[in-house]
Amino acid sequence: MDFRTETSLGYVVNHFARLMARDLEARIKPHGMALGAFPALLHLWEKDGLTQKELVAKLGIEQPTLAATLTRMERDGLVTRQRDAGDGRVQRIRLTDKARALRELAYAEATAVNARAVAGLTEAEQQQLLTLMGRVISSLETTPGSD
């Protein structure tokens, strides 16, 4: 079997993601945001007060990983965890004023990283890339090993 990293979709996408993450981290870290918190913040900026269970599902990560991320986000003054008034077993994640104030800056930094990544592509190629990546993601969101 002839495995080559330059023709391995998994390797190339992983490398691409690491480069994007490195650039984004360099841009948001000076503003008090950790890269690991960024995906959770994106979802909370869309809808504040999600439960931990809802965030786990949206992020596609394990609950212990999210719990550790939320602990760091609390430490950094970005979120609070509050018991749900209707069900004390449920914790709702709420943004702090500090996190709300970072929203537009974070969007601008992420937009700049995205623009830098696709600067060599035409608008049509950019749309095609997103369309193809969406299709690949849909294929992988099925149960692993169900081919």
Side-chain angles (χ1 to χ4, degrees), residues 3-144:
F3 183 89
R4 297 175 42 216
T5 56
E6 63 271 12
T7 59
S8 167
L9 179 62
Y11 184 88
V12 170
V13 169
N14 186 298
H15 185 69
F16 167 71
R18 283 194 319 267
L19 291 172
M20 295 278 291
R22 182 184 70 191
D23 197 353
L24 181 61
E25 181 176 39
R27 291 169 176 270
I28 65 173
K29 190 174 183 178
H31 304 290
M33 284 180 281
L35 184 63
F38 194 75
L41 286 170
L42 289 174
H43 288 290
L44 290 167
W45 285 324
E46 286 180 12
K47 184 179 178 190
D48 196 9
L50 293 171
T51 66
Q52 284 191 222
K53 185 177 181 178
E54 290 169 331
L55 269 175
V56 162
K58 287 180 178 292
L59 296 170
I61 60 175
E62 298 292 326
Q63 196 285 327
T65 303
L66 178 62
T69 298
L70 291 173
T71 297
R72 288 189 297 276
M73 291 173 74
E74 276 185 308
R75 176 201 67 204
D76 295 343
L78 298 172
V79 297
T80 60
R81 289 187 258 198
Q82 301 170 349
R83 293 278 173 213
D84 184 85
D87 185 348
R89 298 169 297 171
V90 174
Q91 283 194 340
R92 297 220 169 255
I93 313 307
R94 305 254 182 229
L95 293 167
T96 63
D97 290 341
K98 176 182 177 179
R100 281 188 210 91
L102 291 169
R103 180 181 173 181
E104 294 310 313
L105 174 84
Y107 285 170
E109 296 295 9
T111 299
V113 172
N114 290 336
R116 181 172 176 243
V118 297
L121 303 177
T122 67
E123 291 222 12
E125 289 170 332
Q126 292 174 34
Q127 187 55 54
Q128 183 181 25
L129 176 61
L130 288 172
T131 299
L132 293 172
M133 290 302 296
R135 288 171 52 194
V136 170
I137 289 166
S138 290
S139 294
L140 292 174
E141 283 180 333
T142 60
T143 307

